[in-house]
Amino acid sequence: MDNRQISPGQKTGMTVRRSIGKGKLEPVLFTTFNTVFMICLVVVTLYPFLNTIAVSFNAGNDTIRGGIYLWPRAWTFQNYKAIFASGTIYDAFLISVARTVLSTLLNIFLTTMLAYTLSRREYVFRQPITVVFVLTMYFSAGLIPSYFLIKDLNLINSFWVYIFPSMISAFNMIVIRTYIGTIPESLMESARIDGAGDFKIFMRVVFPLCKPVLATIALFVAVGAWNSWFDAFIYTSSRQHLSTLQYELMKLLSSTMNSNSNPNVAAGVGMDQDSARALVTPLSIRAAITVVASVPILLVYPFMQKYFVVGLNVGSVKE
């Protein structure tokens, strides 16, 4: 048996080596766990969209059998041909684009102007007006009074029915107002000393500094305007030239469901191979509609993403 004693210096060296070994192991374990977790998260997030794309390129009668995951089993473009077969889809696309662009620009500018006004402490009516706007977030008159209001404003069967009701948003106003509260007051005071008025301060100082939160709000407004179809159904359904893309896609899906209500027809029973392959079913046409409706927003999102987190985090800080 070795009866040699370990000196205090040797004990200290062993402790340091253990600490160094433990310090090297912890980052490796964390990196491994984080990598595996993020890969699983990406798979869970991307799978539904990739599956939808696969179904959209798969033959409708074959999709009914199920078992489509990440790759189409029977390739076809018939689902997309069915969508773009109607000439009205192109006009509806232009209406949706015009509606989205105008709604976003006007909502951002007017809501930011309102938020700046209500952020000024010297404005006497800032609190009562803020309370009125907040109440609109919790209470609504309902569909019928809203319809009569739009009718009295002569906006029925008009393109502006898509624009005017969405020019101001109470929630967006509160977020932007909170963000404006983080801007140093000295900047505005300096501009005022130089002779700038409120509107010039708003345009030259406040508006440029609000770019992160405005990009975030713009994305919210654009997605809402692009996906909206119910207002087209209520207010402009009798004017085909004012129909939006989402409303046309909804009508196409409804007609497909009605035409394929017979299970034998939907499965292609009694048809030759080419006819069955050209058949579209509600499941396949719904997947193609989802892709067509999502792609424009997905193309815009990367340009807004860098402002998204910053804008929401700063805009949600309490005054």
Side-chain angles (χ1 to χ4, degrees), residues 43 81 127 129 139 147 150 159 201 234 251 260 288 296 299:
V43 171
K81 290 180 180 178
Q127 290 296 341
I129 295 177
F139 302 99
Y147 179 85
I150 296 297
F159 172 78
I201 292 174
I234 294 295
K251 290 194 298 183
N260 289 276
L299 294 178

Side-chain angles (χ1 to χ4, degrees), residues 15-301:
T15 303
V16 171
R17 284 193 293 272
R18 290 196 191 99
S19 300
I20 293 175
K22 186 177 180 181
K24 290 182 178 179
L25 183 61
E26 287 181 353
V28 173
L29 291 176
F30 175 77
T31 303
T32 303
F33 174 79
N34 189 50
T35 302
V36 172
F37 176 76
M38 294 306 296
I39 291 175
C40 293
L41 184 62
V42 168
V43 171
V44 171
T45 304
L46 287 181
Y47 174 75
F49 190 70
L50 296 178
N51 175 257
T52 301
I53 295 177
V55 171
S56 70
F57 284 103
N58 197 73
N61 62 317
D62 183 75
T63 302
I64 298 176
R65 295 165 48 197
I68 306 296
Y69 299 106
L70 296 177
W71 197 256
R73 187 166 49 224
W75 276 89
T76 183
F77 292 97
Q78 190 61 36
N79 299 317
Y80 291 97
K81 290 180 180 178
I83 292 177
F84 294 102
S86 174
T88 59
I89 202 73
Y90 301 100
D91 294 334
F93 177 81
L94 294 178
I95 291 292
S96 291
V97 170
R99 169 191 181 165
T100 302
V101 172
L102 284 176
S103 295
T104 303
L105 293 178
L106 289 175
N107 185 286
I108 289 298
F109 183 76
L110 297 178
T111 304
T112 306
M113 186 179 293
L114 175 65
Y116 170 70
T117 303
L118 297 181
S119 69
R120 308 312 302 151
R121 299 187 183 277
E122 62 270 18
Y123 183 52
V124 179
F125 301 105
R126 62 189 296 265
Q127 290 296 341
I129 295 177
T130 301
V131 171
V132 171
F133 275 96
V134 170
L135 288 177
T136 63
M137 299 172 58
Y138 299 97
F139 302 99
S140 174
L143 179 60
I144 296 177
S146 299
Y147 179 85
F148 282 113
L149 174 62
I150 296 297
K151 183 179 180 180
D152 291 339
L153 294 174
N154 295 321
L155 293 177
I156 299 295
N157 294 324
S158 170
F159 172 78
W160 299 107
V161 75
Y162 301 140
I163 308 299
F164 289 160
S166 62
M167 288 195 301
I168 297 292
S169 170
F171 175 79
N172 295 343
M173 182 273 293
I174 293 174
V175 174
I176 298 173
R177 191 194 66 170
T178 306
Y179 188 95
I180 293 175
T182 64
I183 299 176
E185 188 68 24
S186 58
L187 294 177
M188 304 180 195
E189 291 297 331
S190 299
R192 200 178 300 278
I193 292 174
D194 291 338
D198 285 325
F199 187 75
K200 193 170 185 179
I201 292 174
F202 170 75
M203 294 299 299
R204 297 292 183 87
V205 178
V206 175
F207 203 79
L209 292 177
C210 289
K211 185 165 62 172
V213 71
L214 294 184
T216 305
I217 298 300
L219 185 61
F220 286 160
V221 176
V223 171
W226 179 261
N227 290 333
S228 180
W229 65 269
F230 189 69
D231 48 2
F233 171 68
I234 294 295
Y235 302 124
T236 62
S237 58
S238 61
R239 295 290 187 272
Q240 179 62 47
H241 66 282
L242 293 175
S243 182
T244 61
L245 177 64
Q246 304 297 337
Y247 182 50
E248 289 298 313
L249 295 178
M250 187 275 296
K251 290 194 298 183
L252 176 62
L253 179 60
S254 299
S255 63
T256 304
M257 294 178 66
N258 293 331
S259 62
N260 289 276
S261 57
N262 188 332
N264 292 328
V265 174
V269 176
M271 300 181 182
D272 56 41
Q273 185 175 359
D274 293 335
S275 299
R277 191 180 185 86
L279 184 69
V280 294
T281 60
L283 185 61
S284 62
I285 201 69
R286 184 175 60 192
I289 286 173
T290 302
V291 174
V292 171
S294 302
V295 166
I297 293 298
L298 292 177
L299 294 178
V300 173
Y301 183 77

